[in-house]
Amino acid sequence: MAMPPDPETDAVRLREAMADVLARDGGLVDPAWRTAVAAVPRHRFVPGFYLPADERDERDERDEQELTLWEPVTAELDYGRWLAGAYSDTTLITQFDGEEPDWKAPVVRRGGAPTSSSTLPSLVVRMWAEAEVTEGHTVLEIGTGTGYSTALACERLDSGDVTSIEVDPRRLESAADALYGCGYNPTLAVADGLYGYWPEARFDRIVAACSFRTVPPALLTQTRPGGKILLTLSGWLYGYARVLLTVAGDGTAEGALLPGTVSFMAARTHAAPSFGNPAHWSAGLPDKPRTARHGPDRLMAATKEAFHLRFLAQCAVSGAQLVKVGEVVHLVDVVSGSAATLTPGDGVWDVREGGPVKLWERVEGVLDAFDGAGRPGPETFTLHVWGGGQFLRHPNMPGLSLPS
């Protein structure tokens, strides 16, 4: 008679294999992090997750977008696929639209916005390493999620030096069960990362596993002088940048943007608001268009430069959101009440703009400056944060401000 599968035994080999892969790919320079990856049972933190199905659902009539079919994966449904997924260097979606799944009777999802996940292990370790976390540091993690990243920090440090907060109480409850079940005892709390966690401050390091539109001021105050904050900045154009800030004794901070393309789910209080029907916004725009100096494809292309440009552009139009309906690209700004549309013509784009802010004109100004500076990469920009604001600077470009 065949023995029933035993994940605790089967996972040992898979953990070692994953640690080997991450080390070979350069993601585990510090041997202490390799030891942590080989020790933490990731499968205990993901009793279920979703993977995209091969096929796609029919088009949604509202936005004409194809909806992704998400298949639930659990040990009961497919033991081999579940365990292999748990030890793959992949982000595993664990929640959509803030709704906690019933992993005892999971269902296929059609579309939806991911709101919680277990981040791919290579990125988790990379973030802890880039924040220069080492023995003796007290750390605050924003966004506990499944708890896997928290467990790695506890394995690398001491559980008593790790604080992790999560805005979703159901997510935190699941993470706490897994963490305590593995013998880790960090400080856990339901809290909004926008405000950090005062009871355990001050911290040597703060690392955020969600993105913010701006650096939350509370994080500066809760970091010791000389301490570091690693977080992802995002916005409503879905441009992202990562920054490692060093906090000074006067509460100001500065640091360079980091290279690479990484995106995180937005902190829920910083998520983009609904803006309604794009056709309603475009109805009041001037009839006579102008020829655009730059087309929207520069922001929408699937390239590293476009990823970077979206971040720079949204600094200039921080309230704007972008959506494509058919061939027409709409920019909608719910803050100022401004809007713009871009329509493709014969090798050019026609733009119509209305409202107090000429949205595309501002974006074009950023693109002109970017081209004039030689199209500099993220790592050439520095973020400066002090009481008067948050400013992105480059030696060959005009300064940009993050939204206040």
Side-chain angles (χ1 to χ4, degrees), residues 4-5 7 43 46-49 72-84 102-106:
H43 69 277
V46 284
F49 49 86
V73 181
T74 66
E76 291 74 20
L77 290 172
D78 189 332
Y79 175 79
R81 190 183 187 199
W82 167 74
L83 198 60
D102 178 4
W103 292 118
K104 292 184 170 140

Side-chain angles (χ1 to χ4, degrees), residues 45 144 146-148 150-152 154 164 174-186 188:
F45 296 87
T144 312
T146 64
Y148 174 67
T150 319
L152 288 174
C154 290
S164 186
S174 297
D177 288 343
L179 285 162
Y180 299 151
C182 291
Y184 303 118
N185 293 286
L188 301 175

Side-chain angles (χ1 to χ4, degrees), residues 220 246-254 385-387:
L220 301 181
T246 300
V247 179
D250 59 1
T252 64
E254 67 176 68
V385 183
W386 64 84

Side-chain angles (χ1 to χ4, degrees), residues 15-41:
R15 279 202 302 277
E16 282 290 342
M18 185 172 73
D20 287 342
V21 169
L22 299 187
R24 183 192 66 209
D25 293 344
L28 294 174
V29 177
D30 184 343
W33 285 117
R34 189 202 180 286
T35 300
V37 170
V40 175

Side-chain angles (χ1 to χ4, degrees), residues 19-356:
D20 287 342
V21 169
L22 299 187
R24 183 192 66 209
D25 293 344
L28 294 174
V29 177
D30 184 343
W33 285 117
R34 189 202 180 286
T35 300
V37 170
V40 175
R42 191 187 187 202
H43 69 277
R44 300 274 290 273
F45 296 87
V46 284
F49 49 86
Y50 286 96
L51 293 177
D54 292 335
E55 60 178 303
R56 300 249 177 181
D57 199 10
E58 64 277 359
R59 288 180 180 272
D60 183 277
E61 294 179 355
R62 295 169 299 172
D63 56 15
E64 297 185 346
Q65 300 274 332
E66 288 183 338
L67 299 177
T68 301
L69 282 175
W70 296 92
E71 294 179 338
V73 181
T74 66
E76 291 74 20
L77 290 172
D78 189 332
Y79 175 79
R81 190 183 187 199
W82 167 74
L83 198 60
Y87 291 100
S88 63
D89 190 28
T90 306
T91 292
L92 303 174
I93 305 299
T94 55
Q95 187 192 78
F96 288 90
D97 302 320
E99 301 171 3
E100 194 69 13
D102 178 4
W103 292 118
K104 292 184 170 140
V107 296
V108 172
R109 296 279 315 203
R110 287 174 172 80
T115 47
S116 189
S117 66
S118 178
T119 303
L120 66 161
S122 61
L123 177 55
V124 170
V125 176
R126 173 179 159 195
M127 289 177 63
W128 287 125
E130 286 177 333
E132 301 171 12
V133 171
T134 191
E135 288 84 354
H137 281 159
T138 55
V139 303
L140 170 65
E141 177 188 41
I142 298 174
T144 312
T146 64
Y148 174 67
S149 174
T150 319
L152 288 174
C154 290
E155 187 70 36
R156 175 71 168 81
L157 307 172
D158 180 278
S159 289
D161 291 331
V162 178
T163 298
S164 186
I165 60 175
E166 169 62 49
V167 72
D168 186 330
R170 295 165 299 177
R171 285 279 81 214
L172 189 68
E173 183 179 2
S174 297
D177 288 343
L179 285 162
Y180 299 151
C182 291
Y184 303 118
N185 293 286
T187 298
L188 301 175
V190 175
D192 189 330
L194 189 64
Y195 305 102
Y197 198 61
W198 291 98
E200 297 295 316
R202 293 184 170 186
F203 302 99
D204 295 300
R205 299 289 186 269
I206 296 179
V207 176
C210 59
S211 64
F212 295 95
R213 296 182 73 207
T214 58
V215 181
L219 303 188
L220 301 181
T221 309
Q222 293 176 30
T223 303
R224 289 194 178 100
K228 297 180 185 292
I229 302 171
L230 177 68
L231 78 166
T232 301
L233 298 168
S234 65
W236 296 346
L237 288 184
Y238 296 101
Y240 297 85
R242 293 186 311 131
V243 63
L244 180 62
L245 293 167
T246 300
V247 179
D250 59 1
T252 64
E254 67 176 68
L257 301 189
L258 300 178
T261 55
V262 172
S263 60
F264 273 106
M265 298 169 194
R268 296 189 186 183
T269 45
H270 278 194
S274 299
F275 57 80
N277 188 335
H280 296 164
W281 289 84
S282 63
L285 297 180
D287 293 331
K288 186 174 180 181
R290 67 173 176 86
T291 299
R293 298 196 306 278
H294 300 277
D297 47 297
R298 291 199 64 182
L299 302 185
M300 301 172 70
T303 64
K304 289 183 179 180
E305 183 174 276
F307 189 93
H308 175 43
L309 280 175
R310 281 199 301 275
F311 176 73
L312 298 180
Q314 73 193 11
C315 291
V317 289
S318 60
Q321 297 179 63
L322 183 150
V323 63
K324 186 175 183 181
V325 180
E327 294 298 314
V328 180
V329 174
H330 297 257
L331 271 79
V332 174
D333 184 341
V334 299
V335 178
S336 69
S338 305
T341 63
L342 291 113
T343 306
D346 186 12
V348 298
W349 287 83
D350 292 330
V351 58
R352 296 187 301 139
E353 299 176 280

